[in-house]
Amino acid sequence: MMELKFYNTLERAVVPFHAIRDAQVGMYTCGPTVYNYAHIGNFRAYIFEDLLHRVLNYAGYDVTQVMNLTDVDDKTIRDSRASGKPLSVFTKTYIDAFFQDLKTLNITPAKVYPAATKHIPEMIQMIQTLLDKNYAYQASDRSIYFAINKFPSYGKLARIDRENQRDGVRISTDEYAKESVGDFALWKAWDEKDGDVRWDSPWGPGRPGWHIECSAMSMKYLGKTFDLHTGGIDNMFPHHEDEIAQSECANGCRSVNYWLHCAHLMVDGEKMSKSLGNFYTLRDLLSKGWSGRELRMVLTGCHYRKQLNFTFDALAQAREHLRRFDDFFRRLHEACAPADAPTLEPLLLEAKTAFDREISDDLNIAGGLAAVFDLTRDLNKLLEAGSLSKSDAAKALALFAEFDQVLGYLDVGKSAAAEIPLEIQALADARFAAKKVKNYAEADRCREELKAHGYAVEDTPAFCRVKKL
Ligand code: AMP
Ligand code: ZN
């Protein structure tokens, strides 16, 4: 098992990662609120989480990732009512679009995508436990609130000053019912703004608050204490702080060992967000002719804790890098020097060692990519000198395929051969094999057969290629 280190927001330090159960990791990811298409800022968070998932897999862990779908909250209710559609019909459009976008960006699927509306009983149960343990109370507006002054460690994740917490947060009218301004809703009593969105509970009809959703569902799928919890940095407070309060008070134990947060995707110095209106969806970019693969390269290219400024220049640069990678893999597939290059093995070993070292150090993607680019440069030199054999090329391609388990955008299968029908490639391979053992009669026969099918073979000591005539 490869040793990994992560920046744990709880400790504000890069620390060694130790899973609770040897090779098995539980990871909870705050998912989308499905009232609109996710924008590429959201996808920066999901791609960071995918990178984390992939690095854990690469290091030898089996990952149980859970990503919730927030399909009931103020915004989903507001916009579904405005659209005149029932809540579940309204949110389904965006849930379907989200899964399509995950595929386009080659994001590793989570094991479970629990929807909030399918877990109301679990949330009611947790709220009841918090009431029973006296961490919560029902206010005059009939809503249930968490009393943060009952939990002395409140603020330990965001390191907020409890006296001044939530300074500047607007107090909406119904919040006056709370005992303290910092208290947050676990259960929101129904009012007419909610229309027909309501569930029965021991405290009257209503719906859950946003934070309790994640506490109840993470406990259901990952247990009371699990390894990793992730999100964008804006999730840290109050959302994650409130999750800690609910989970730790209900369960009486630590909830999460490692909290990881990614920095924002910015546009012109501001956070990309729906509320500022400065956002692009993946669909916007696809319609402008960009690909998911190009966006994936841009969004993974910057360390997750650094702000990333979105530009079209960066997309154009990614396009050029990917074109060069494709071209390089095509040439590797054609390599066929008669003898193996003696310098190959040490080069591959050096690249793998550097890649592993960097990527295991808090997902240092820049360092990992440098190792990939260095190897590409060195192999290009060997290709130009005509010194790579078919078996050399196969070893190199296998290593790039390993790197791609983490990167997710290399196309190592890219070869001119991939565009050639299988039976034609088989014939060309048979010819190559015959030639190698000096069975020239058989090699010539294969060449003639290829010709009859409309294909030619082109050999130099450095490469052999099948081409359509
Ligand atoms: P939301 O649907 O607003 O709850 O956001 C879903 C996820 O996207 C959360 O993890 C947010 O922290 C994250 N997020 C939202 N905007 C950005 C952004 N501009 N850059 C990076 N992550 C973001
Ligand atoms: Zn959450």
Side-chain angles (χ1 to χ4, degrees), residues 299-335:
L299 294 181
T300 49
C302 167
H303 191 265
Y304 74 95
R305 284 190 289 116
K306 284 203 184 118
Q307 283 189 352
L308 169 60
N309 199 40
F310 174 72
T311 64
F312 284 95
D313 274 356
L315 277 173
Q317 247 175 48
R319 176 168 288 179
E320 180 55 22
H321 279 308
L322 290 169
R323 191 191 62 71
R324 283 197 217 153
F325 271 126
D326 288 351
D327 197 45
F328 167 67
F329 293 133
R330 266 195 207 99
R331 295 178 63 205
L332 266 182
H333 280 282
E334 290 165 355

Side-chain angles (χ1 to χ4, degrees), residues 29-35 38-46 49 70 75 210 230-236 240 262-266 270-274:
T29 307
C30 291
T33 307
V34 284
Y35 72 109
H39 60 68
I40 60 170
N42 301 132
F43 282 113
R44 178 179 197 199
Y46 305 134
E49 287 146 351
T70 300
K75 290 174 284 191
W210 173 36
T230 61
I233 192 74
D234 57 318
N235 280 164
M236 180 173 64
H240 291 162
C262 74
H264 284 142
L265 183 68
M266 311 291 284
E270 284 192 289
K271 176 191 168 193
M272 181 175 284
S273 71
K274 281 173 198 150

